[in-house]
Amino acid sequence: MILGIGTDLANIERIARTLDRFGDRFRNRVFTDIEQAKAERRRDVAGTYAKRWAAKEACSKALGTGLAMGIAWKDMSVTNLKSGQPVMHVTGWAQERLAAMTPPGHEAVIHVTLTDDHPWAQAFVVIEALPVKS
């Protein structure tokens, strides 16, 4: 069953200006060390950050809270499988919220997809509850 759906559209140029203006202060407030390392290795640094920004926004919406209810930016992070597929991880309050919205006898799975077409970066997040296998 679907527990939540979220989407977000981020402007890559806006993220680039924010990176230029606030630098490490912005990076360290919003992105995990792993996310920063990934972005800084990429040719399109701002685009990589913008996709992850959009993923965090989309995840907070799928959790039904938005960012105003106590979820910290770093409570949500994106890594990639060797295939390149993005994977959303939640910790802290986001993990607590996910546990609270997951029905007994089920486990939550977070699906995330990212895309960009300059100047836009977009993310979709779907949270699904699957029955726990006995």
Side-chain angles (χ1 to χ4, degrees):
M1 83 182 69
I2 303 298
L3 299 178
I5 300 171
T7 186
D8 192 66
L9 184 66
N11 185 288
I12 296 168
E13 293 171 1
R14 180 176 148 250
I15 296 296
R17 287 191 302 271
T18 302
L19 287 165
D20 288 344
R21 183 171 179 197
F22 298 105
D24 286 342
R25 188 170 139 211
F26 172 65
R27 284 180 194 87
N28 294 331
R29 185 175 142 250
V30 176
F31 302 100
T32 65
D33 292 341
I34 292 170
E35 289 174 313
Q36 290 181 49
K38 169 83 171 181
E40 297 300 326
R41 285 192 310 265
R42 302 297 299 265
R43 192 172 33 148
D44 183 11
V45 172
T48 302
Y49 279 121
K51 285 186 279 190
R52 278 147 179 76
W53 171 280
K56 292 168 187 267
E57 288 274 8
C59 185
S60 71
K61 293 170 185 175
L63 289 168
T65 64
L67 287 160
M69 293 182 65
I71 293 178
W73 286 104
K74 288 184 174 182
D75 284 349
M76 301 164 288
S77 65
V78 177
T79 61
N80 295 85
L81 300 177
K82 287 183 182 184
S83 65
Q85 177 184 345
V87 178
M88 177 64 71
H89 306 274
V90 293
T91 58
W93 202 88
Q95 186 175 28
E96 291 173 20
R97 171 68 183 150
L98 181 62
M101 63 191 284
T102 304
H106 290 75
E107 63 181 341
V109 178
I110 303 174
H111 304 278
V112 60
T113 186
L114 308 173
T115 191
D116 65 285
D117 186 8
H118 196 84
W120 301 106
Q122 187 172 32
F124 287 95
V125 171
V126 175
I127 301 174
E128 178 182 24
L130 298 174
V132 174
K133 296 178 182 170
S134 306

